Amino acid sequence: MKIAILGGGGAMGGIFGGYLARAGNDVTLIDVSKAAVTAINDNGLTIEEKDGSQPVIKVLASNNPASVGPVDLIINFVKCYHTEAAVRAAAPMIAKETAVLSLQNGWGNAPRIASIVGEDRVLVGLTYHGGTLLAPGRVKHPGSGMTYIGELAGKPTERLGKVIDTFRAAQIETTQSDRILDEVWKKLAL
């Protein structure tokens, strides 16, 4: 699967992007930080795991979405106040079948994305993985947990199944939710 990660130079974007790239997907980490893009392209992405291992994953990074071209999936990990700008900048990567998945913390990101790309493109998720950015191109992954993904409209689709299968193949424990907005509220309540 061809995947772009918005906020890919950050902790969570790096962890998910690194795992997906390591599993053989064509992944590009998109980030506005020139230091992050340079570090990842020059040295790879290092993920410090809870068990002490520090794999270095070769993955592309860019601050130019137009250079990536159309993708199958865009995963949005930017801070909520950058959502609209990031999704608008991602326009060159959006083709007829591109899905946009928000794995951001907080409430209201999916409607913001839908107002730009259309509700039919939007997947919503949340994750209980944790991450810390240590330096450009270096993230700490202190703990993992379940990731929930669903269609914004609630009904399961073939593309949702493909995304879940892709995440599972990348060793990201993932489950489908037909009531994903309820799951987001549960996490907010925590």
Side-chain angles (χ1 to χ4, degrees), residues 3 13 15 24 30 39 49 51 56 80 97 149 152 167 172 179 188:
I3 303 169
I15 290 166
I30 305 294
E49 297 288 358
D51 66 5
V56 177
C80 62
E97 300 298 320
I149 302 175
L152 179 57
F167 275 41
I172 301 168
R179 299 183 55 86
L188 283 172

Side-chain angles (χ1 to χ4, degrees), residues 13 21 23 27 42-43 51 64-65 102 106 164 174 179 185 189:
V27 176
D42 289 352
N43 306 312
D51 66 5
N64 179 9
S102 171
I164 290 170
T174 307
R179 299 183 55 86
W185 272 112

Side-chain angles (χ1 to χ4, degrees), residues 76-101:
N76 192 6
F77 271 113
V78 302
K79 300 294 184 196
C80 62
Y81 42 85
H82 294 301
T83 297
E84 285 100 343
V87 174
R88 287 186 200 291
M93 299 186 299
I94 298 174
K96 184 179 177 186
E97 300 298 320
T98 303
V100 181
L101 168 61

Side-chain angles (χ1 to χ4, degrees), residues 22 46-55:
R22 185 174 61 188
T46 301
I47 300 176
E48 291 187 16
E49 297 288 358
K50 187 176 182 177
D51 66 5
S53 64
Q54 297 184 22

Side-chain angles (χ1 to χ4, degrees), residues 164-181:
I164 290 170
D165 289 345
T166 300
F167 275 41
R168 288 176 179 166
Q171 298 178 338
I172 301 168
E173 189 179 6
T174 307
T175 192
Q176 174 184 312
S177 174
D178 297 338
R179 299 183 55 86
I180 192 62
L181 296 179

Side-chain angles (χ1 to χ4, degrees), residues 71-125:
V71 298
D72 302 309
L73 177 65
I74 295 171
I75 304 173
N76 192 6
F77 271 113
V78 302
K79 300 294 184 196
C80 62
Y81 42 85
H82 294 301
T83 297
E84 285 100 343
V87 174
R88 287 186 200 291
M93 299 186 299
I94 298 174
K96 184 179 177 186
E97 300 298 320
T98 303
V100 181
L101 168 61
S102 171
L103 278 174
Q104 303 159 273
N105 285 328
W107 184 257
N109 296 304
R112 285 199 241 351
I113 294 168
S115 73
I116 298 166
V117 302
E119 187 174 305
D120 59 319
R121 291 186 185 278
V122 180
L123 299 171
V124 182

